[in-house]
Structures are given as structure tokens and as C-alpha cells.
Amino acid sequence: MAMNRILLLITILLFFHIAQSQSPEILKIREYRIKEEQQILNDLLNLLSVPNTATDTIGLRENANLLSQMMMQGGISNVQLLQADEPSPPVVYGEVITPGATRTIVFYAHYDGQPVDPAQWAKGLSPFVPKIFTGRIDQGATEVPRSQTPIDPNWRIYARGSSDDKAGVMAIYNAYQAIKNSRIKLTCNIKFFFEGEEEHGSEHLVSILDKYKQLLQSDLWIICDGPIHQTGKKQIVFGVRGDAGIDITVYGSSRPLHSGHYGNWAPNPAMRLAKLLASMKDDNGKVTIKGFYDDMKPITEVEKKAIAALPPVDDQMKKELGIREPEMKGKNLYESIMLPSLNIRGMQSANIGDKASNVIPVSATASIDMRLVPGNESFRQQQKVIDHVQRQGYYVTEKDPTSEERLKYDKIAKVVRRPSYDAMRTPMDNNFAKVVVNAVRSATKEEVLLVPTMGGSLPLVHLEKKLNARIIILPIANHDNNQHAENENLRLQNFWDGIELLSSVMIMP
Amino acid sequence: MAMNRILLLITILLFFHIAQSQSPEILKIREYRIKEEQQILNDLLNLLSVPNTATDTIGLRENANLLSQMMMQGGISNVQLLQADEPSPPVVYGEVITPGATRTIVFYAHYDGQPVDPAQWAKGLSPFVPKIFTGRIDQGATEVPRSQTPIDPNWRIYARGSSDDKAGVMAIYNAYQAIKNSRIKLTCNIKFFFEGEEEHGSEHLVSILDKYKQLLQSDLWIICDGPIHQTGKKQIVFGVRGDAGIDITVYGSSRPLHSGHYGNWAPNPAMRLAKLLASMKDDNGKVTIKGFYDDMKPITEVEKKAIAALPPVDDQMKKELGIREPEMKGKNLYESIMLPSLNIRGMQSANIGDKASNVIPVSATASIDMRLVPGNESFRQQQKVIDHVQRQGYYVTEKDPTSEERLKYDKIAKVVRRPSYDAMRTPMDNNFAKVVVNAVRSATKEEVLLVPTMGGSLPLVHLEKKLNARIIILPIANHDNNQHAENENLRLQNFWDGIELLSSVMIMP
């Protein structure tokens, strides 16, 4: 056991330090991409023009249709939309069966995106009107006409989904196109699995996995989502945090009141929410909700050593992000994401600034997301928060309070659980790790980092439980991509590299 | 002194209990209104169709033009727009000089309105498309076509400004029209003063009062703004609270972050704001900011007795508003508004609910309004809050932080002072009180309540200081008017009564 660990550590260190060289196949892939990059770029821009937020069911369907047409035209077999029994955004599925192959790999990405607030995007930008810029707009980049050549790899595309995760979808698709058109031999059966509900908690994923269990038989899932390392190095990631959302609304009077005529007398829900939220964390960033850090599985020695081997990024990120101190005192970024988190992702009561009226608001809401680590159970983690709200003297309900409830209880909180799932971490020494790491190394001249988990979430726990598949995550997007926020963007070189990275896995021995 | 107080108390009690009767002049006023009410209603609806929020300078100017045209057509002299030297919404001024009159009364109302958020208004309503309903829409009222007759006094007009304060403007205007057209004799010179900046802190009022001091010479100002008493009784009000706004913004990272990849590590500004706000009040609703309740002038014995004589409304309002306990434990509504208040009128960080993304927001803002009582000085009251923020470990700035500041200070707060002014309370036994009270009584069959101050604010301190005028407030709107909020409305009977009330003062002996 101790011997195994040492061997793994040596392996990890070797990957860091051995000089790199790229395989002839990868050079052919690159040749193809350079020849076709105008078309590849156009296809991506077209896909980015179709709205893909969870509430836009028509837009999601249009995305799915566009993808399936493209896949059929690209020579992919058995293209179909996989759906749960109840209405839900479809998974776009396709496959390429390789005669004699003994291994089946599913390539996963998702075509849906986070909600958008167009007003928050920079001037001239709109989430679903993708535009190309010479670099980062907050560093003075200027717009580039769509058909301008030569294409500079430092250009960035600005649009919702550009990096999260239509880049993943299109890198997977184009990796296969590059292999096919360069007449390179696939070494495995390939299945394509493009989800449409990832940013909404993958509510129907389990049903779909159950329903199409036979179709989805596989040995390995390669997940193409998330950013590469902050240093710009490629990373292979062996886990994700789980995600458990909860929305809390507290109440004032049943109609909005003039803050003069009733200020001091009518309870203010924004102040109540502030006090409730403030009770959830101490000044060192530690969550004070009872039992919040219970249930965590211990971090393995292998994981600890892998983390210790990663290049430190805290100083770089503090500078880049304008942060003097991290939230959790005494913990670096890698250590922080090994713990469950509690984050206020949004908070609102009436309006602010020039839009604010002199009112006592009727309600105040916080949307909270918690990230989970192995051992946490998402429903139970939500329950800990709900129990905490109750301990602060609140009557907890799942609906807006009735008149009777309002007169019966002083403090009322509505709590809404959002779709949630647990964390997943695969052993870093699993039987596919070595071969994938080798393949990725064949595609890059740079170091490749091995990371026990990313901070972000993907519903991989379902794949592991339902299909008993091994899972490895290969992120490709730039780390400064404003993922999940306004001004989301993708640096083109990261996309080009992604195509090579994914190809390397499709042809690994 | 004690004798005086007792006399006043007896006077007050007399007004409560003497049987009421209406004067023949008031009956003539009513006759005129009934004959003309379709036209009066149309004029009000037209005025309500013109947007009047502070940021809409063109809309405000259009309101002013519409009013001055109407006033000129209505036989009012010397109509003009009074402006400060720098651009600002004009005061619409006009006058009627009565030969032989020894008294000049200015009638004040304001034509501007609070900011609007159309999305929050009920379905089918739009702030500047006034609509008539059979009653309260939250009680199932239905829309009434604009020209339907007979006009039911329980109908309500829904629009921004319907009750606050275009009702005041139009009640004053129509009171004079009714007098003129009924050939009743005015007993005083009348000046009309319709402000356009009241809901934005009356920033230029002092300059205008200085500049037009001569034109505005007067003995008494009658302020027509605010709601009548919650019991439905008329009230004469002798003071207002001051108003001091302050916006506080705290910061996280300089760009929005994926809450998975950085959650636990990057500081969350919403949590910081929650802790900061929570530190400002205790659980009994008492403000904990150092010195917050200092500077208050003591409440006079006369005021105390007047308050004690008011009909209790707490139980009614709790039921009506769905509140079990008031914010300030142990204080009733009347007692609460005799104290300075601190109210969160809006709070926001990123988005909530279905619009929320899984981000760590970049900033969080609270808009706070404080109501002031005599003795408080608005700038100083704001400073107490700023000092408190500093004591919580914040570096305070008036601008968004620079990169250098971000790296130098852990906790940064931007603080913006908003236009503010002090409270005003006139002695309840001032030399005009008795004659106005008598006049109002001549216009109504009901009890008239005498109230030391309303909870709301008006910039009356400037009138008192600059013009040395006596000031009395005559509110006319219904109390359940959603003033300052979505679905603002005016009950027609209150408007009709308001015309009679104001006429009674124009013809008082």
C-alpha cells in the first residue's frame, strides 16, 4: 500500500519533468485543424448563436437539433436524442463503432449554459450574439470581423457557453472529424454524449442513464468540461465536487410599505436575511452550521501528495483577482476545494441605487449553492441548512406564507431545494489513468498536472453508480473565462489544443 | 406653560368629539366637482401618463409643461417654471392675488415620483399607463373603461404618482377651479408651488428658495402629500421626519468567479454585506450604530399627549399587513416614528432564483434610508454609519476600488451619500393651527386627527429656515396606496375629499 503510493508519486513526478514530444498523429490532427479552422470556428459561432439557458426549452431543443444534424453530416452513426419519460432537455447521442475494438469510451460534454443577465454584459456584448475579440475585453481588446484571416490563436470568442461547455462539445466533435479526415485509425468504439441539463442540476440524467443503460455500455467516460490550470498547464482531473442548491426567502409585510411611514415599525426582510446569512459563517470563512463538515471521507495519502505536488497559484490568483486575503484563513486554493463550501450566489431585496425606492421590501431572497465532497449526501447537506434556519427561530415552509401563517409566526422562511447531486472522486491510480495520461502527454509539449478533484461540479456520481464506468476529466478552456458569469469567453488556442487533446485519447493504444 | 398645554389638549379633544357639519361653501364645491368629475378625472389620467421618475429629465420637463399650460388655462397668473442655476427639474409656480387679502398661503405638492420597476407591477399594469379598477386589485377588482359613468367613489386609479403626489397637485388645482367657478370668495393670496425633485432628495430646493425668495414671500405653506390616517380619518400633521440615504457596496474578486472552482477560497461580497448589515441592528430592532439615537430633541408634552390621544392602529395594521410582531419590540407605530430609523430599502448581489448563476458575485450593495427626527443632522447621521463601517474593519472609499487598493485592503466598502435633509416639526399650537383646523372641520363630517409628525419625509426644513414660513401638512391619499412601491394607487373618494379639504383652507376666515 505504502509502496503503491510511492510508485504513484514517482509516476506523477515523472509526468511533470520528462521532456515532452508530440506524436506524428497529433501533428496530422493539427494540420487538419489549421486547414479547416475557418469552418470549425464558424460551426462553433453558429452553435453559440442558439440560446441555451434552462428556462428556454425551445432554444435547448434547437441546440440539440443543430448538433444532431451536424453529427449525422459528420459521419457519426446511430445519432439520436435521448430523453427521460417526462419532458426534459434531450441528450444528443451518437457513436462510431470500430471493428475489433475492445474498449468503448464515451465522450461527455454539455450544450446547455448558465442563466444570463444581458444587462451585466460589457457594452456591445450580448450572450447569444457571439463576437470575436483580439484578446480580453477588460484589457482593451477590440472586435475582429467574423471572417478575418489569418486567425490569431489569442483571439477570444465572447458568448454564453463559449467555454462552458459548447467548446467541449465542439472539441470532441472536431477531434473525431480530424481523425476521420486525416485517415488515422481509431483504437476504440466512441460514443458521444452531449447533455442539455448540466447547468440545471442534471435532474433527469439518472432516468436517462437507466433508460438507455444498454446503449451507454462503456469502459471509460472522458468528460470535457471546466478550465485548465491557472498556470496555463493542461490538467487531468480525477474528481468533481457535488452541488446542492437552496433558495431562502424571508418576509416582511404582505405589501410594500413607505419606509418613512412605517420604518422602525414594520420588520425589514433584508435585515432579517442579513442576520440569517451572517449566522452561517464565522469571520474566518468557516461554516458555522451544525454538522456542516461531518460526513467527509478522509483525503487519501495519494491525493494529499498530488496536491502538494501542484504548482502554487494563490499569489498569482490573488493578484489576478484583486483579493488580499482568501475567505478561509490559512487554507490555500487546493486545500479549500477539498472541503464542502457554502456560497451565496445571489441575494436580492427590492432594488438598489437609482432604481431603489424608499420602501420597506416585502421579501428578501438568497440563492445559495453548496459544493460537496465525497461522503456528503446532497439532500442531507441541504437539510443541515434548513435545520439551521429553524434554529434561528424561523418557521420553515416550502411555499409563500398564508395570511394565517403570517399572523401565527413572527419569522417565516421559505426554503426551496434545487436539483442537487453528490461528489465523485475516482482513484488517481485507476486502471485507465496511466493510458490516458500517456495519451495526453503525446498531444502536448508541456507538463501535464494530475489533480485529485476540481472545485466545480458535474453529475459524474450518477455515471459511476449507474454504469459502473471509470471517469476522467479533461478540461480545455482558459482559466480566465468568466465561466458562469457575464462576459464568458473562450481563447482560441485553448480550443485548438482541446481538439488535439481529445484526439489523443481516441487513438490511444 | 402647563396651563397652555392643558388648553391645547382640551382643544384637541374638542375637535375629536364635537359633532361635525359642513359649510354651505363646501357643498357648492362638491356640486361643482360632481358636475365636472369626468373632466377632472381625465386631466389627472393625462398627467399620470407622463413618466416622472428622477432619471427621466425629459419626462419631468413634459410634466412641468403640461401643468403650466393647464394652470394658465385655469386662470392662474404669473405661471412660470422656477429653476436653480444648474439644470434641475423645475418648480411649477403660479399665483392668484386677492384684492385686500392680508394673508398669503403657498400650496405645495410635487409632480415627480419614485423610481419604478415595471416587472414588479401586477399583470396588466404599467406605471405610466394609468388604469381604473373597481377597487383593490389584490382583492379581485376588475378594470373599468376610462369613460364609464357613473363614477364610483370606491374606484381606484393605478399608476406611479397616482397618490404620491400628482393627487396632491391636481387636488390643489381643482380646489381653486371649484372656488373660482362656484364664484366663492377667496380670503387670501394663493401661490402654487409644484416641486419636481421631491423623491430625489430635493437637491436644488434650497437654491430655488434663495433665488425666488421675493416671489415666494408667504405666511403659511400648506403641504398636500402623504396618506390620511389608517382609520380612514382626516389628519392634520405638524411635522415630517428628515431623510438621509446612503448606499454601501462591498467587494469580492474583480471578476465573477465559478462558485465551484473558487468557492471557499474567494471572499463572497454578499456574505460580507450580510455581516456588515447584521451588525447595525440588534434582534429587538434597535440600531446598534454608535451614537445613533444621540442628538434627538426631546418630544414635547403637547406632542406626547397628542400621540396618546390618537386611536390605536397597531392591531389593525398587523392584521392588514400580515405582521405578527413589529420590528421594534415594545413600541407602537406612533412611538416608532418619533425615533430616527435605519431601513434597508434595497439589497442586491448578482441574481436570485432561476436567474441565479453558480458564481461568487463581484460585489454586493445595500441602499439604506434613514429617517431623521428634530435634532438629527443629516450629514452627521450618514457619518455615523460610515464610521460604523470603518469600525467593522473596512477601508472606506467613495469610488470603486483600484487594483492597488484591492491588494492593500482586505475589506473595502464604497459609500455614497444620497441627497438628504433634516426633519421639521412645527409647534402644534402655532398661530395658524387653530384656523386651519377649523377650516378642515368645515369640510368634513368626521373627526379630524391632530398628529405631531408623519413618518414620511418632506424637505420642509428648508421652507422653515429660508422663508421663515409656518407649515401645516394636509394629506389626502388613502393609506393603503402602495406609495413608493409597485401598484401605487389612489381611491377616488380620497381625491374628491381632498379637493374639498384644500378649498376649505383657501376660503378660511
Side-chain angles (χ1 to χ4, degrees):
Chain A
M1 186 63 175
M3 196 58 186
N4 271 355
R5 276 186 216 138
I6 290 163
L7 277 177
L8 181 77
L9 187 62
I10 291 170
T11 317
I12 291 169
L13 294 175
L14 277 177
F15 287 131
F16 273 81
H17 295 291
I18 292 176
Q20 319 271 330
S21 72
Q22 286 165 306
S23 71
E25 287 83 1
I26 289 301
L27 297 178
K28 275 197 207 168
I29 299 289
R30 185 173 306 164
E31 212 172 284
Y32 167 84
R33 184 265 299 169
I34 290 170
K35 190 160 54 84
E36 299 294 334
E37 62 186 12
Q38 183 71 62
Q39 183 59 45
I40 295 172
L41 187 57
N42 277 343
D43 287 347
L44 176 57
L45 292 171
N46 286 344
L47 185 63
L48 291 172
S49 305
V50 186
N52 68 342
T53 53
T55 50
D56 188 347
T57 48
I58 294 170
L60 288 172
R61 173 63 63 157
E62 209 182 315
N63 275 284
N65 288 342
L66 187 61
L67 281 176
S68 39
Q69 274 169 26
M70 191 182 70
M71 287 160 71
M72 283 188 278
Q73 283 163 12
I76 294 167
S77 315
N78 201 11
V79 173
Q80 56 183 297
L81 302 182
L82 312 187
Q83 285 209 269
D85 289 334
E86 58 180 77
S88 63
V91 168
V92 185
Y93 173 86
E95 59 188 34
V96 177
I97 303 300
T98 304
T102 55
R103 189 193 283 156
T104 299
I105 305 180
V106 184
F107 287 84
Y108 168 101
H110 64 89
Y111 62 82
D112 65 310
Q114 281 277 314
V116 292
D117 183 353
Q120 294 181 334
W121 286 58
K123 210 184 151 193
L125 290 186
S126 176
F128 301 112
V129 183
K131 288 189 176 173
I132 308 171
F133 282 77
T134 52
R136 275 177 58 166
I137 51 165
D138 57 344
Q139 294 176 348
T142 53
E143 196 180 341
V144 177
R146 202 164 157 153
S147 53
Q148 185 170 313
T149 51
I151 294 170
D152 183 323
N154 282 314
W155 288 355
R156 293 189 184 214
I157 303 175
Y158 279 83
R160 171 59 82 235
S162 55
S163 68
D164 183 15
D165 182 30
K166 288 181 174 176
V169 171
M170 294 304 279
I172 291 170
Y173 171 77
N174 283 298
Y176 172 65
Q177 296 305 312
I179 290 171
K180 192 184 67 169
N181 289 297
S182 310
R183 298 177 193 281
I184 301 170
K185 212 178 136 17
L186 280 180
T187 54
C188 57
N189 301 317
I190 294 176
K191 296 181 176 177
F192 300 85
F193 189 97
F194 299 141
E195 201 197 345
E197 204 181 21
E198 197 276 329
E199 302 292 8
H200 200 58
S202 297
E203 233 178 322
H204 299 88
L205 183 60
V206 171
S207 314
I208 292 173
L209 295 180
D210 272 336
K211 192 170 167 185
Y212 298 96
K213 199 164 183 170
Q214 209 53 45
L215 190 70
L216 297 171
Q217 281 305 329
S218 49
D219 304 292
L220 172 66
W221 283 60
I222 293 289
I223 311 295
C224 185
D225 195 6
I228 61 169
H229 196 259
Q230 288 93 345
T231 52
K233 294 187 169 67
K234 308 273 184 305
Q235 56 183 357
I236 300 176
V237 182
F238 294 85
V240 286
R241 289 202 281 188
D243 190 15
I246 196 160
D247 288 356
I248 302 173
T249 300
V250 302
Y251 299 86
S253 59
S254 54
R255 62 176 162 88
L257 293 174
H258 187 293
S259 62
H261 300 321
Y262 296 93
N264 259 9
W265 186 79
N268 183 304
M271 181 56 86
R272 284 190 163 173
L273 185 66
K275 285 190 172 283
L276 182 56
L277 294 171
S279 73
M280 294 182 184
K281 265 193 186 178
D282 70 17
D283 289 337
N284 294 320
K286 203 182 159 203
V287 178
T288 48
I289 291 170
K290 196 177 159 193
F292 192 81
Y293 297 105
D294 295 353
D295 314 325
M296 286 172 59
K297 272 192 195 158
I299 300 167
T300 66
E301 286 304 310
V302 170
E303 289 167 341
K304 276 185 196 164
K305 282 178 182 149
I307 291 171
L310 292 172
V313 289
D314 279 44
D315 286 346
Q316 173 200 335
M317 292 314 296
K318 282 184 197 168
K319 205 170 163 191
E320 191 176 318
L321 299 173
I323 294 172
R324 187 178 158 83
E325 294 292 340
E327 187 177 50
M328 278 200 126
K329 303 286 178 281
K331 296 231 181 291
N332 70 27
L333 177 56
Y334 303 132
E335 290 163 345
S336 299
I337 62 174
M338 298 303 282
L339 296 169
S341 73
L342 181 142
N343 174 60
I344 305 171
R345 63 192 191 122
M347 177 169 81
Q348 192 163 6
S349 184
N351 293 299
I352 56 164
D354 285 341
K355 287 188 182 166
S357 301
N358 278 336
V359 291
I360 306 171
V362 290
S363 66
T365 298
S367 286
I368 289 173
D369 76 287
M370 295 180 284
R371 302 293 169 156
L372 316 179
V373 298
N376 290 148
E377 197 274 301
S378 64
F379 191 88
R380 186 170 142 75
Q381 202 74 352
Q382 289 169 325
Q383 193 60 45
K384 291 175 191 170
V385 177
I386 295 170
D387 291 347
H388 178 84
V389 173
Q390 246 160 351
R391 276 194 300 274
Q392 307 306 305
Y394 280 86
Y395 166 71
V396 172
T397 167
E398 290 174 4
K399 294 181 188 162
D400 286 328
T402 62
S403 311
E404 291 69 37
E405 285 171 324
R406 283 177 165 279
L407 295 177
K408 191 165 173 195
Y409 305 103
D410 180 25
K411 291 156 78 180
I412 301 178
K414 180 175 76 172
V415 169
V416 177
R417 292 172 192 259
R418 301 191 71 93
S420 302
Y421 51 79
D422 297 349
M424 190 287 301
R425 250 188 249 157
T426 202
M428 293 181 77
D429 44 4
N430 86 47
N431 50 345
F432 279 106
K434 200 170 170 179
V435 59
V436 171
V437 171
N438 273 333
V440 169
R441 285 207 52 250
S442 78
T444 178
K445 279 189 253 182
E446 294 151 21
E447 279 181 1
V448 175
L449 306 182
L450 305 187
V451 181
T453 185
M454 64 171 168
S457 304
L458 286 162
L460 307 185
V461 64
H462 301 319
L463 304 177
E464 198 181 52
K465 283 197 179 155
K466 290 283 164 189
L467 303 178
N468 199 27
R470 283 298 179 193
I471 300 160
I472 290 175
I473 304 150
L474 295 183
I476 64 169
N478 40 301
H479 83 283
D480 55 351
N481 60 0
N482 277 33
Q483 196 182 350
H484 284 200
E486 60 272 19
N487 308 335
E488 180 180 347
N489 66 84
L490 171 70
R491 182 172 160 267
L492 284 185
Q493 186 61 55
N494 289 69
F495 184 50
W496 302 151
D497 288 352
I499 294 173
E500 294 176 14
L501 204 69
L502 291 156
S503 306
S504 73
V505 177
M506 294 179 185
I507 56 173
M508 66 189 183
Chain B
M1 186 68 172
M3 197 57 187
N4 271 355
R5 277 185 218 139
I6 290 163
L7 277 177
L8 181 78
L9 188 62
I10 289 170
T11 317
I12 292 169
L13 294 176
L14 277 177
F15 287 130
F16 272 80
H17 295 289
I18 292 175
Q20 320 271 330
S21 71
Q22 287 164 307
S23 71
E25 288 82 2
I26 290 300
L27 296 177
K28 276 197 204 168
I29 299 289
R30 184 174 306 165
E31 212 171 283
Y32 167 84
R33 184 266 298 170
I34 290 169
K35 190 160 54 84
E36 298 294 333
E37 61 187 11
Q38 184 71 61
Q39 183 60 44
I40 295 171
L41 187 57
N42 277 343
D43 288 347
L44 176 57
L45 293 171
N46 287 343
L47 185 64
L48 291 172
S49 304
V50 187
N52 68 343
T53 53
T55 50
D56 188 347
T57 49
I58 294 170
L60 288 172
R61 172 62 62 156
E62 208 182 315
N63 275 284
N65 289 342
L66 187 61
L67 281 176
S68 40
Q69 275 169 26
M70 191 182 71
M71 287 160 71
M72 283 187 279
Q73 283 163 11
I76 293 167
S77 314
N78 201 11
V79 173
Q80 55 185 296
L81 302 183
L82 312 187
Q83 286 208 268
D85 289 334
E86 58 181 78
S88 62
V91 168
V92 186
Y93 174 86
E95 59 187 36
V96 176
I97 303 301
T98 305
T102 54
R103 189 192 285 156
T104 299
I105 305 179
V106 184
F107 288 84
Y108 168 101
H110 64 89
Y111 63 82
D112 65 309
Q114 281 276 312
V116 292
D117 183 354
Q120 293 182 334
W121 286 58
K123 211 184 149 192
L125 290 186
S126 176
F128 301 113
V129 183
K131 287 189 177 172
I132 308 171
F133 281 78
T134 53
R136 276 177 58 167
I137 50 165
D138 57 343
Q139 294 176 348
T142 54
E143 196 180 339
V144 177
R146 201 164 156 153
S147 53
Q148 185 170 312
T149 50
I151 294 171
D152 184 323
N154 283 313
W155 288 355
R156 294 190 183 213
I157 304 174
Y158 279 83
R160 170 59 82 233
S162 54
S163 67
D164 182 17
D165 181 32
K166 288 181 175 177
V169 171
M170 294 303 279
I172 291 170
Y173 171 77
N174 283 298
Y176 172 65
Q177 296 305 312
I179 289 170
K180 191 184 69 168
N181 289 296
S182 310
R183 299 176 192 279
I184 301 171
K185 211 176 137 18
L186 280 180
T187 54
C188 56
N189 301 317
I190 293 176
K191 296 181 176 177
F192 300 84
F193 189 98
F194 299 141
E195 202 198 344
E197 205 181 21
E198 197 275 330
E199 301 293 7
H200 200 58
S202 297
E203 235 178 320
H204 298 89
L205 183 60
V206 171
S207 315
I208 292 173
L209 295 180
D210 272 336
K211 193 169 166 184
Y212 299 96
K213 199 164 183 169
Q214 209 53 45
L215 189 70
L216 298 171
Q217 280 305 330
S218 49
D219 305 290
L220 172 66
W221 284 59
I222 294 289
I223 311 295
C224 185
D225 194 7
I228 61 169
H229 196 259
Q230 289 92 345
T231 52
K233 294 187 168 69
K234 308 273 184 306
Q235 57 183 357
I236 300 177
V237 182
F238 294 86
V240 286
R241 290 203 280 188
D243 191 15
I246 196 161
D247 289 356
I248 302 173
T249 301
V250 302
Y251 299 86
S253 60
S254 54
R255 62 177 163 87
L257 293 173
H258 186 293
S259 62
H261 299 322
Y262 296 94
N264 259 9
W265 186 79
N268 184 304
M271 181 57 85
R272 285 190 162 174
L273 185 67
K275 284 188 172 284
L276 182 56
L277 295 171
S279 73
M280 294 182 183
K281 265 193 185 180
D282 70 16
D283 288 338
N284 294 320
K286 203 181 159 203
V287 178
T288 49
I289 291 170
K290 196 178 158 192
F292 193 82
Y293 297 104
D294 295 353
D295 315 324
M296 285 172 60
K297 273 192 195 159
I299 300 167
T300 66
E301 286 304 310
V302 172
E303 289 168 341
K304 277 185 196 163
K305 281 179 181 148
I307 291 170
L310 293 172
V313 289
D314 278 44
D315 286 347
Q316 173 200 335
M317 293 313 296
K318 282 185 198 168
K319 205 170 162 193
E320 191 176 317
L321 299 172
I323 294 172
R324 187 178 158 84
E325 294 291 339
E327 186 177 50
M328 278 201 127
K329 303 285 177 280
K331 296 230 181 290
N332 70 27
L333 177 55
Y334 303 131
E335 291 162 345
S336 299
I337 63 174
M338 298 303 281
L339 296 169
S341 72
L342 181 142
N343 174 60
I344 305 171
R345 63 192 189 121
M347 177 168 81
Q348 192 163 5
S349 184
N351 293 299
I352 56 165
D354 284 340
K355 287 187 181 166
S357 301
N358 278 336
V359 292
I360 306 171
V362 290
S363 66
T365 298
S367 286
I368 289 173
D369 76 288
M370 294 179 286
R371 302 293 169 158
L372 315 179
V373 297
N376 290 147
E377 197 275 301
S378 64
F379 192 89
R380 186 171 142 76
Q381 202 74 352
Q382 289 169 326
Q383 192 60 45
K384 291 175 191 169
V385 178
I386 295 170
D387 292 346
H388 178 84
V389 173
Q390 247 161 351
R391 276 194 300 275
Q392 307 306 305
Y394 279 87
Y395 167 70
V396 172
T397 169
E398 291 175 3
K399 293 182 188 162
D400 286 328
T402 62
S403 310
E404 291 69 36
E405 286 171 326
R406 283 176 166 280
L407 295 176
K408 191 165 173 195
Y409 304 104
D410 179 25
K411 290 156 79 181
I412 301 178
K414 180 174 77 172
V415 168
V416 177
R417 292 172 192 260
R418 301 190 71 93
S420 302
Y421 51 80
D422 297 348
M424 190 287 300
R425 250 187 249 156
T426 202
M428 293 181 76
D429 44 4
N430 85 48
N431 50 346
F432 280 107
K434 200 169 168 178
V435 59
V436 171
V437 171
N438 273 332
V440 169
R441 284 207 52 250
S442 77
T444 177
K445 278 189 254 179
E446 295 151 21
E447 277 181 3
V448 176
L449 306 182
L450 305 187
V451 181
T453 187
M454 65 170 167
S457 304
L458 285 161
L460 307 185
V461 64
H462 302 318
L463 305 177
E464 197 180 51
K465 283 195 181 158
K466 290 283 165 189
L467 304 178
N468 199 25
R470 284 296 178 194
I471 300 160
I472 289 175
I473 304 151
L474 295 183
I476 64 169
N478 40 301
H479 84 284
D480 56 352
N481 60 0
N482 278 33
Q483 195 182 350
H484 285 200
E486 59 271 21
N487 308 335
E488 180 180 346
N489 65 85
L490 171 69
R491 182 172 158 266
L492 284 185
Q493 185 62 55
N494 289 69
F495 184 51
W496 303 152
D497 288 351
I499 294 172
E500 294 176 14
L501 204 68
L502 291 156
S503 307
S504 73
V505 178
M506 294 178 184
I507 56 173
M508 66 189 183

